Amino acid sequence: MTKTIVLFKKKDTIDQYHDLFLKHGYVPRFIPVLDHESRNLQVIKDMLLVGPHQANFNGLILTSQRSVQAMSEAFNFLLQQGQTLSEQVVKEWNQLPVYMVGPQTAKVLSEFALFNNGHAHHWMVYPRAAELIQPLIDGQQQFNGKGRLLFLAGDKRRELIPTELARAQLEFYEVQSYATCAHADLSRAMQNFSIPDWLVYFSPSGLKFLLSCVDLETRQKLLAACQKDKVNYTKIASIGPTTSDYIWDELGLESDVMAKEPDAQHLVNDIINFDQSYLG
């Protein structure tokens, strides 16, 4: 029997999720949830030009690929304006320890021209922000209180990292590199929403904006459909542990599937495997 699956993301022009789900007999439907706008590009441009040593940075914190995209956007603006970074500044950025949340963030950084020079051994990548804290503290010990961390954050960032850095008396400079907003088509797409076999969530902020735009009746319908006290309940899949944690915290629902890796192939395979085992 054909299964329907709703993915709360914008469909890409060439979309692996769409192609893989169709190939395996699922009917995918995409509902765009988020848009993002880069912010403080002039500030980021200035920091890129002078380099981390002059700006007194001894580490970089990135919790989202959107921050990497903002850096890349600022870097491209510099090139368009005929401004180039000195060899020394490029070397400094490449040797800077980078603390990241999520392999997708690391993947985007590896594709950024400034950082694709084979220095990824300076990068520390963890599934959750909470797992960054101890490596940050340990990494800063070598600097003996000299320098500060650069934290490129979004407007919806949690208080966890700033709170823990302050508690450990680690100096940091935070720049809001992007802002998150609801996609213009979200409300329209949720009108007359029909419950599918699967719901797939891609970020905490995506779920937050989704819940903010639906009425109480639709929210209750979604929650009721996902209750596991019936045979044909609506399953929940998430792209990773941070999203699964938020689904539990916000809705009290446990994800049936959490992708082993945050990409289309792993997510589709995990859903297929779940359905096959569920059907026995």
Side-chain angles (χ1 to χ4, degrees):
M1 184 175 65
T2 301
K3 290 184 176 292
T4 57
I5 183 162
V6 168
L7 299 95
F8 290 109
K9 70 179 289 288
K10 180 182 178 182
K11 183 185 176 187
D12 297 329
T13 304
I14 300 175
D15 199 293
Q16 278 192 304
Y17 293 96
H18 175 267
D19 296 344
L20 288 170
F21 277 123
L22 277 182
K23 178 182 177 181
H24 292 283
Y26 291 78
V27 178
R29 179 188 172 198
F30 293 80
I31 295 182
V33 179
L34 299 176
D35 265 346
H36 300 87
E37 297 177 350
S38 296
R39 295 286 174 86
N40 292 311
L41 290 179
Q42 185 59 54
V43 174
I44 297 172
K45 283 162 58 178
D46 292 343
M47 292 189 299
L48 289 175
L49 271 176
V50 301
H53 286 189
Q54 186 171 330
N56 199 30
F57 297 135
N58 57 29
L60 171 63
I61 304 172
L62 300 167
T63 58
S64 168
Q65 59 184 296
R66 307 293 176 185
S67 291
V68 182
Q69 290 166 351
M71 289 182 74
S72 182
E73 192 174 335
F75 182 74
N76 290 333
F77 280 150
L78 288 173
L79 297 182
Q80 292 168 11
Q81 295 166 355
Q83 296 177 283
T84 57
L85 277 60
S86 70
E87 290 185 11
Q88 177 60 33
V89 166
V90 171
K91 181 179 179 181
E92 290 173 11
W93 282 114
N94 274 270
Q95 292 181 340
L96 192 70
V98 185
Y99 303 85
M100 285 178 278
V101 176
Q104 187 61 31
T105 304
K107 180 178 183 296
V108 176
L109 188 66
S110 71
E111 296 167 351
F112 178 11
L114 180 58
F115 285 89
N116 63 359
N117 296 317
H119 290 277
H121 57 278
H122 292 293
W123 302 355
M124 284 140 281
V125 187
Y126 296 88
R128 295 176 171 90
E131 297 171 40
L132 279 183
I133 304 304
Q134 194 58 50
L136 278 165
I137 294 172
D138 294 342
Q140 290 298 292
Q141 289 178 345
Q142 63 180 303
F143 296 106
N144 297 316
K146 297 177 181 178
R148 55 184 177 160
L149 292 156
L150 171 59
F151 181 20
L152 295 183
D155 60 321
K156 305 300 180 186
R157 68 111 172 102
R158 297 163 59 196
E159 293 293 333
L160 174 66
I161 290 177
T163 298
E164 293 300 325
L165 292 179
R167 181 174 295 154
Q169 297 183 321
L170 298 179
E171 187 178 354
F172 66 97
Y173 178 58
E174 181 176 346
V175 177
Q176 185 193 126
S177 57
Y178 69 94
T180 308
C181 57
H183 195 280
D185 296 333
L186 176 58
S187 295
R188 179 184 57 79
M190 289 303 296
Q191 293 175 0
N192 301 316
F193 179 78
S194 56
I195 300 295
D197 296 289
W198 281 90
L199 297 168
V200 183
Y201 297 102
F202 289 86
S203 70
S205 54
L207 177 55
K208 183 176 182 179
F209 276 105
L210 172 65
L211 294 175
S212 71
C213 87
V214 299
D215 56 31
L216 181 60
E217 181 181 355
T218 301
R219 177 174 178 144
Q220 291 175 336
K221 186 166 67 171
L222 282 169
L223 287 172
C226 296
Q227 299 302 317
K228 300 181 182 182
D229 56 354
K230 51 184 179 297
V231 176
N232 294 318
Y233 71 95
T234 295
K235 282 71 174 178
I236 295 175
S238 80
I239 198 63
T242 302
T243 303
S244 286
D245 289 348
Y246 191 81
I247 293 169
W248 173 256
D249 292 342
E250 187 67 24
L251 300 178
L253 296 173
E254 187 175 355
S255 299
D256 297 280
V257 162
M258 184 181 74
K260 292 182 178 65
E261 298 291 339
D263 57 44
Q265 188 67 67
H266 283 88
L267 180 70
V268 173
N269 287 345
D270 291 343
I271 287 176
I272 292 169
N273 290 337
F274 181 93
D275 277 341
Q276 288 176 344
S277 63
Y278 184 76
L279 293 172

